[in-house]
Amino acid sequence: MAVSWASVAAPEPLGGVSVAVTAAGAAAVAFSAQPPDEVPARLATAPPADAQRTALVARQVGEYLAGRRRVFDFPVDWSLTSGPQRTVLQALHRAVGYGRTVTYGELAAGSGVYDAVPTGERWAAAREVGQIMGSNPVALIVPCHRVVASDGLGGYGGGYGGVEVKRWLLTLEGVLAPTLDWSGPA
DNA sequence: TACTTCACATTTT
DNA sequence: AAAATGTGAAGTA
């Protein structure tokens, strides 16, 4: 296969994280310690990353999950995204740092993609942003977990248990107060 | 404050 | 064709 997978062990609700790395950067993330059997066709033809970079990505992600890293130095391979999705995700990646959050509506406005949408229909933009987050191929690195609903947590992909992951990540970053069952990244 | 209803584009069943 | 979706804002009690 053409991509290198950086697998990282992770605490509690995650279990593990795998990152697909191409020569351009991190292209996809899966919430499992074992890389998926199949990869998007786009990645199968992408130029592979050298072992050096793959190791770098694995190390930084590991440090982040351990609470010892706040920013990722490696670039993101946006080839799996397109159109408005790419615009929104890039806006998020650029504007929302560690320990910060934005609401779906704010991200929609900040990305500039929905400027033409009348104020009275902001909900539509917010919902579409939600869709984009849910289909974000580079979760974690593009911090889709830092996007919350205007009144609370909002949802998270990965089905039912997904929200648990979101909570864990936000607690890790100090956005949420630790809950009673919070055991920390270690 | 808490709960209900509406707005509506895509995607999945 | 029908239902659900990572929302937001306004209206009701």
Side-chain angles (χ1 to χ4, degrees), chain A residues 85-140:
Chain A
Q85 183 190 36
R86 176 178 300 189
T87 304
V88 171
L89 291 177
Q90 285 179 335
L92 171 63
H93 183 247
R94 173 175 44 98
V96 183
Y98 190 101
R100 293 277 310 286
T101 60
V102 287
T103 64
Y104 291 96
E106 285 168 353
L107 178 57
S111 68
V113 175
Y114 303 96
D115 283 354
V117 178
T119 310
E121 297 179 5
R122 281 188 53 228
W123 55 268
R127 177 176 280 186
E128 290 198 21
V129 168
Q131 299 289 348
I132 290 173
M133 292 300 124
S135 56
N136 170 23
V138 275
L140 204 68

Side-chain angles (χ1 to χ4, degrees), chain A residues 158-183:
Chain A
Y160 181 74
V163 186
E164 286 305 312
V165 174
K166 186 174 187 175
R167 293 172 82 103
W168 190 89
L169 291 170
L170 290 176
T171 309
L172 171 70
E173 299 187 2
V175 176
L176 293 176
T179 48
L180 290 176
D181 59 340
W182 166 259
S183 55

